[in-house]
Amino acid sequence: MHDIRFIRENPNAFDRGLARRGLEPQAQRLISIDERRRAIIRVNEAASARRKVVPKDLAKAKSENDEAEVQKLMNEAAELKETIARTDKEQREAEKELRDALAEIPNLPLDDVPDGKDEKDNVEHHRFGAMRNYAFTPKQHFDLGEALGQMDFETAAKLSGARFVVLKKGLARLERALGQFMLDVHTSEHGYTEVAPPILVRDDVMFGTAQLPKFADDQYYASNVAVERARRLKSDRDIFVARIETIGAKLSPYQTKNELPFAFIELPPEVPRLQAELINLQNQISAYDRAIENLEKRIASVASDLWLIPTAEVPLTNLVRESIIDEAQLPLRVTACTPCFRAEAGAAGKDTRGMIRQHQFTKVELVSITTPEQSSDEHERMLSCAEEILRRLNLHYRVVTLCTGDMGFASQKTYDIEVWLPGQKMYREISSCSVCGDFQARRMNARYRTKEGRNIRHVHTLNGSGVAVGRALIAVMETYQQEDGTIAVPDALAPYMGGVKKIEK
């Protein structure tokens, strides 16, 4: 979320930042909404101030028996009450309009981010290691996994549909080992605190890290069954109520005002049928009311209407939402290994085979909360922490700086780590490390108190994969594959594999 004060004071700089992202100017539109909001506030405050004075003036006029002045002041008081009520409503509407407009605008890139339209314009930063030479043609991970009988996409499709996988035996253990290895390195050597967060979160938590509202279609939504049943029952009940109103209108000419429910002057053939239908509908509505009441009691006792996290960045960053932290606690570094869920709404036809693009996957996430002065150095540090995982696994990779057209919505600057996959013969993203400035902090109302204690400022937030476990599994499988189809276990994972040195059928 952007600071409207910054936009008012730096409209040209704001629009230049948007232009670098390929977006149209927005500053004047936002300033116009804000000016209208501020004008409404001024009217409201003036009316509220005057409303406090009127009772004193009214008391004085009454003591002086000035009936004309009394009536004038009473009329003014009524008008002020109406003005305050109207401007309260207008202020809420203007604030919502401004908030909604700001929520749809991405973060501005830092000055050193390269300009560009898409991934083709990303700039390579550095590489580690070299591509391995094989005496055979390397296979892709899914061919290896299926041949081992330990990677099952067909059964996963029966259970859940496309873009899911069942891992078994050695590959299941290898995936678990990767997650444990990453957590151990980050917590024991890199200073991150391990957290086991909820993976179901509320709307405002998803809003805080900018998954909502713009990217709702990419998320999975979990609704309690009782909630859906109550909604359906209420919908059906509304249909019955509408039918009762229709029947009532048809029966109305045959009812007297004094005799209820039915005292008919003349009974056409359809009247008894309508009467019976009316009684039946009223009984059904009573039954629906009881069912809805019981469901709402159940709903009140359980969490419902929650989002499945697309990354642990969401709950980890929101740990500091709506709070004020002492500067001495910063930087705050946390990590988690969690399941992640993404709808991949825009991925039709992309990576349809294998584990590259799954609806459910495991990832180790790194999150840092810092002061503005610390965030740039912390970004470099986070990148090195993620790189260390791949270095210890001896995987060849490169680091690229994303251009303005390829950055994420909330990011000011992003480094991607792309691991080399010998089977695919290409680099694939395995980690993104982003600095977001105070963009997320403003959405979460996350702040800190300076050491002197005199100022309250918004924190800066950073997040990065440390790293994606599923893609690390793919990279290990393809890099450490043997000509006979087995997979050697990297030395770094040996302590987690119980003596298993290779994955074999």
Side-chain angles (χ1 to χ4, degrees), residues 70-120:
V70 166
Q71 189 59 49
K72 176 184 174 184
L73 290 169
M74 290 181 66
N75 290 340
E76 184 182 2
E79 290 175 0
L80 288 170
K81 181 179 179 181
E82 181 181 334
T83 297
I84 292 169
R86 173 176 53 79
T87 52
D88 279 344
K89 181 174 181 293
E90 290 175 348
Q91 181 180 338
R92 288 193 299 271
E93 291 172 347
E95 287 174 346
K96 182 179 184 304
E97 183 181 358
L98 180 61
R99 186 170 60 251
D100 290 349
L102 289 170
E104 294 286 342
I105 299 173
N107 207 346
L108 302 183
L110 295 177
D111 292 341
D112 61 344
V113 173
D115 291 331
K117 294 181 179 180
D118 53 35
E119 67 276 3
K120 296 176 183 177

Side-chain angles (χ1 to χ4, degrees), residues 326-458:
D326 287 332
E327 185 176 350
Q329 295 177 259
L330 303 177
L332 179 67
R333 301 182 180 112
V334 288
T335 184
C337 180
T338 66
C340 303
F341 305 88
R342 294 183 187 171
E344 297 288 356
K350 297 179 182 178
D351 300 308
T352 53
R353 287 203 68 191
M355 288 180 58
I356 287 289
R357 202 178 295 271
Q358 296 272 283
H359 291 313
Q360 176 186 327
F361 55 95
T362 303
K363 184 156 67 79
V364 171
E365 187 73 8
L366 306 175
V367 164
S368 295
I369 310 297
T370 74
T371 65
E373 294 77 16
Q374 296 167 333
S375 62
S376 179
D377 288 342
E378 186 70 14
H379 192 205
E380 302 298 325
R381 182 186 189 278
M382 180 177 283
L383 173 65
S384 68
C385 291
E387 283 188 75
E388 183 62 22
I389 297 298
L390 301 185
R391 288 173 180 260
R392 294 198 187 183
L393 293 171
N394 199 23
L395 297 173
H396 171 52
Y397 67 85
R398 68 178 184 179
V399 174
V400 298
T401 305
L402 299 195
C403 71
T404 53
D406 198 31
M407 287 198 316
F409 183 83
S411 175
Q412 287 182 324
K413 181 180 180 180
T414 297
Y415 292 122
D416 267 11
I417 304 177
E418 298 179 344
V419 68
W420 175 255
L421 300 182
Q424 291 196 14
K425 296 181 176 60
M426 64 188 303
Y427 291 100
R428 299 302 297 256
E429 177 204 334
I430 196 169
S431 173
S432 283
C433 296
S434 299
V435 57
C436 300
D438 62 5
F439 186 83
Q440 293 176 325
R442 290 184 178 280
R443 299 168 81 101
M444 298 185 301
N445 194 25
R447 297 169 292 167
Y448 74 98
R449 183 180 288 104
T450 59
K451 290 178 181 177
E452 300 80 10
R454 291 192 295 268
N455 296 315
I456 303 294
R457 305 166 71 190
H458 284 96

Side-chain angles (χ1 to χ4, degrees), residues 148-185:
L148 289 168
Q150 298 179 27
M151 184 177 285
D152 190 344
F153 297 100
E154 184 178 344
T155 299
K158 293 177 184 177
L159 298 175
S160 307
R163 298 191 188 276
F164 290 91
V165 67
V166 173
L167 296 177
K168 305 173 186 177
K169 301 181 182 178
L171 289 185
R173 183 168 189 169
L174 187 60
E175 184 188 48
R176 174 162 54 92
L178 282 162
Q180 290 178 307
F181 162 67
M182 294 174 197
L183 284 178
D184 285 350
V185 172

